[in-house]
Amino acid sequence: MDVLYFAWVRERIGLPKERVETNAATVAELVEELRAREERYAMAFEDLSALRVALDQELSDFDAPLDGVREVAFFPPMTGG
Amino acid sequence: MDVLYFAWVRERIGLPKERVETNAATVAELVEELRAREERYAMAFEDLSALRVALDQELSDFDAPLDGVREVAFFPPMTGG
Amino acid sequence: MDIRVLADPFDFGAEAQGFAARQSASGAVVTFTGIVRDTDAGLLAMEIEHYPGMTESQLTGFAEQARKRWALEDVLVIHRHGRMEPGDMIMMVATAARHRKDAFDAAEFLMDFLKSRAPFWKREITRDGASDWVQSKDDDEDALSRW
Amino acid sequence: MDIRVLADPFDFGAEAQGFAARQSASGAVVTFTGIVRDTDAGLLAMEIEHYPGMTESQLTGFAEQARKRWALEDVLVIHRHGRMEPGDMIMMVATAARHRKDAFDAAEFLMDFLKSRAPFWKREITRDGASDWVQSKDDDEDALSRW
C-alpha cells in the first residue's frame, strides 16, 4: 500500500510518500512496524494522540482494519481555514 | 412639537409630518387627542399594538412623558435588512 | 466604522473587497448581504421608506453596541432606501475580528437589530399592480431575545 | 455548488459579487474570508500544505452536509495552499439562502469543519527566520461539538 506523510510527520520521516509491503491487520499494527524500522519513524509516531490517520482519503482510527485499503496517510491535527 | 408618520400610518393620515400644539403629558394622551380629530387619525391609531413610537429619534413607549420632546414619530414595526 | 444610508445602488463586491483589504490585524471577515428576492406573486419592485436621521443614529448605535460586546477590528453597514428591483442588493454588513466567532456573532447581532429596530419599512409592488407593506415577522422579533 | 482548492490568489470581491449576483431566489448571502494576519513575532509568510484529492472530497462532503441540514440555495468554498503573505486571503466560504439564519449557520458550520477536518496544515515563517507548524486549537475542536 501507499503510505503518505504530511506536515511535521513528513519532515520527521523525511519523505512524503512510500510504498509499504505489510501484513498488518490494523493501522496500529502498521504503526508498530514503522516504529520498529528506524529512529526517525519512532520519533514521528512517538505520540499517537498528536496524530491523525486517513484510509483511502477518509479520516479513520488507529484501530481500523487495513483490509482492502490502498492508501494510508498520517498527519498532525488539521489547521485549515 | 413636530409629529411624523411613516409607512401605512403616513398613508392613512395622509401626510408625513405636521406641527401639533398640545398639552398632552404622555404619548398616550397625544394619541387620544389625535384620534379625536378625524376618522383618518382614528383609523391610523386604531390598534396601538401594531404601532411603534420614537421620541426625538429614540424608540420609546406609549406611556413615556412628552416633557421637553421636540419630535414624535409614529410608525408600524420596522422591516429593515 | 463606516455607516451609510443611501438611495443609490452600492457595489457589494468592491465594498467587501475594500473592507477585507483594510483588515491587516484581523484574521476573519464576515459579510452579510440582503438581496431583493422575486416572490411567488411576481415582484416588480420593492420600495423602502426610512426615517432620515434616526436611521443613521440607530445603525451607529448598533455598531457601537457590537464593538462593546465583541473584539471587533471594524464594522461596515450600508443600507439602501427608495426603489429596488429583484436581484438588487438592499443592504450589507461586514465585521472584522481576530477570531471568526466574534465576526460571525457580531454580524448576526447587527442583522437582528437592523431587521426590527432600524426605521426602515418595505413595500412590495407585484406585477399585477398590488402594493403591500411587508409585515414584520414574529421570528425577527424573537431573534432579538438571544442578545 | 462550487468547491475550489488552488495555489493562486483569488479575487474575494469578485467572487463575493459573482456569488451574490447568481442568487435570484435567495434573500440572504453570507461570506467568510480568512486573511493572513501579521503576528506579534512578525510574520514573513504562511505556507499551507494540503492532501490533494482528500482536500477536495472533504470540502465537497462538508458542503453536501450543509445542504442537507439547511435550506441553502448555493454554497461556495475556495481554499488556497502554498505560500502567502500577511494581508493575503487564505480562503472564503459563501452561502445563499432564503432566510438569513440558514445562511449564517451553514457558513459557521462550514468554517468549523474546514478548520479541523479539512486536510490543510499551516506553517508560519517569522522575520527572524523561525518556522513553526501552527498548532491546532482545542477551541476549534470544541466548536465541532455543537453541530
Side-chain angles (χ1 to χ4, degrees):
Chain A
M1 66 183 59
D2 289 322
V3 181
L4 283 66
Y5 310 110
F6 291 97
W8 57 253
V9 184
R10 171 180 57 69
E11 290 180 328
R12 285 193 193 172
I13 292 173
L15 46 86
K17 186 175 177 173
E18 63 184 318
R19 183 103 200 137
V20 172
E21 302 303 329
T22 180
N23 293 315
T26 64
V27 175
E29 285 182 30
L30 173 63
V31 167
E32 282 314 306
E33 286 182 16
L34 292 169
R35 262 182 186 149
R37 278 183 171 186
E38 284 179 52
E39 180 60 20
R40 59 197 169 104
Y41 287 94
M43 274 183 60
F45 291 105
E46 199 174 15
D47 177 10
L48 288 193
S49 74
L51 288 181
R52 301 288 180 267
V53 62
L55 303 182
D56 290 330
Q57 307 194 355
E58 295 271 355
L59 284 170
S60 190
D61 298 306
F62 284 90
D63 55 8
L66 287 179
D67 192 38
V69 169
R70 286 159 302 162
E71 185 173 300
V72 180
F74 295 104
F75 42 78
M78 294 154 274
T79 54
Chain B
M1 66 184 59
D2 289 322
V3 181
L4 282 67
Y5 309 111
F6 292 97
W8 57 254
V9 183
R10 172 180 55 69
E11 290 181 329
R12 286 193 192 172
I13 292 175
L15 47 87
K17 185 175 178 173
E18 63 185 319
R19 184 104 198 137
V20 173
E21 302 303 329
T22 179
N23 294 315
T26 64
V27 176
E29 285 182 31
L30 174 62
V31 168
E32 281 316 306
E33 287 183 17
L34 292 169
R35 262 183 185 147
R37 280 186 170 185
E38 285 179 48
E39 180 60 21
R40 58 196 170 104
Y41 287 95
M43 274 183 60
F45 290 105
E46 196 174 20
D47 176 10
L48 288 193
S49 74
L51 287 181
R52 302 288 179 268
V53 61
L55 302 183
D56 289 331
Q57 308 194 355
E58 294 272 353
L59 283 170
S60 191
D61 298 306
F62 284 89
D63 54 7
L66 287 179
D67 191 38
V69 170
R70 286 159 304 163
E71 184 173 300
V72 179
F74 294 104
F75 41 79
M78 294 153 274
T79 53
Chain C
M1 204 163 91
D2 183 358
I3 311 290
R4 280 176 266 162
V5 179
L6 36 83
D8 292 327
F10 63 93
D11 183 335
F12 168 62
E15 296 290 348
Q17 173 68 35
F19 183 84
R22 282 193 294 279
Q23 313 306 331
S24 63
S26 296
V29 167
V30 169
T31 74
F32 177 93
T33 188
I35 304 168
V36 181
R37 177 174 79 198
D38 204 354
T39 61
D40 296 338
L43 191 77
L44 181 67
M46 173 175 278
E47 283 178 1
I48 301 184
E49 183 171 333
H50 80 121
Y51 185 170
M54 181 170 167
T55 309
E56 290 80 354
S57 70
Q58 286 285 98
L59 297 181
T60 302
F62 303 153
E64 283 168 355
Q65 284 175 54
R67 298 193 75 149
K68 276 182 199 148
R69 288 185 67 143
W70 292 282
L72 300 180
E73 306 280 343
D74 204 358
V75 176
L76 167 70
V77 180
I78 300 175
H79 204 303
R80 291 182 67 191
H81 58 89
R83 188 182 175 94
M84 282 153 253
E85 290 174 10
D88 286 354
M89 290 180 202
I90 304 167
M91 49 70 60
M92 71 175 286
V93 304
T95 54
R98 290 174 70 96
H99 302 293
R100 72 184 184 285
K101 190 89 183 79
D102 288 331
F104 271 117
D105 285 353
E108 286 204 73
F109 169 91
L110 288 169
M111 284 309 305
D112 285 349
F113 277 82
L114 215 146
K115 280 271 167 187
S116 314
R117 291 290 182 275
F120 292 103
W121 299 275
K122 292 195 183 108
R123 179 155 57 176
E124 290 178 347
I125 299 152
T126 51
R127 284 190 206 100
D128 61 11
S131 163
D132 281 307
W133 292 100
V134 173
Q135 300 259 336
S136 65
K137 296 195 195 80
D138 289 343
D139 280 3
D140 285 333
E141 193 62 34
D142 294 345
L144 294 178
S145 63
R146 62 178 162 149
W147 304 113
Chain D
M1 203 164 91
D2 183 357
I3 311 291
R4 280 176 267 162
V5 180
L6 38 83
D8 292 329
F10 63 93
D11 184 335
F12 169 61
E15 296 289 349
Q17 174 67 34
F19 183 84
R22 282 193 294 280
Q23 312 307 329
S24 63
S26 296
V29 167
V30 169
T31 74
F32 177 93
T33 187
I35 304 168
V36 181
R37 176 173 80 197
D38 204 354
T39 60
D40 296 337
L43 192 76
L44 182 67
M46 174 176 278
E47 284 178 1
I48 301 183
E49 184 172 332
H50 80 120
Y51 185 170
M54 180 169 167
T55 309
E56 290 81 353
S57 68
Q58 287 284 99
L59 296 181
T60 303
F62 303 153
E64 284 167 355
Q65 285 175 53
R67 297 194 75 150
K68 277 182 199 149
R69 287 185 70 144
W70 293 281
L72 300 179
E73 306 281 342
D74 204 359
V75 176
L76 166 70
V77 181
I78 299 175
H79 204 302
R80 290 183 66 192
H81 58 89
R83 188 183 176 91
M84 281 153 253
E85 291 174 9
D88 286 355
M89 291 181 202
I90 303 168
M91 48 72 58
M92 71 176 285
V93 304
T95 54
R98 292 175 70 96
H99 302 292
R100 71 184 185 284
K101 189 90 182 81
D102 288 332
F104 271 118
D105 285 352
E108 285 204 74
F109 169 92
L110 288 168
M111 284 309 304
D112 285 349
F113 276 81
L114 216 146
K115 280 271 169 187
S116 314
R117 290 289 182 275
F120 292 101
W121 299 275
K122 291 194 184 109
R123 180 155 57 176
E124 290 179 346
I125 300 151
T126 51
R127 283 190 207 101
D128 61 11
S131 162
D132 281 306
W133 293 100
V134 172
Q135 300 259 334
S136 64
K137 296 194 196 81
D138 289 343
D139 279 3
D140 285 332
E141 193 62 35
D142 294 345
L144 294 178
S145 63
R146 62 177 162 150
W147 303 113

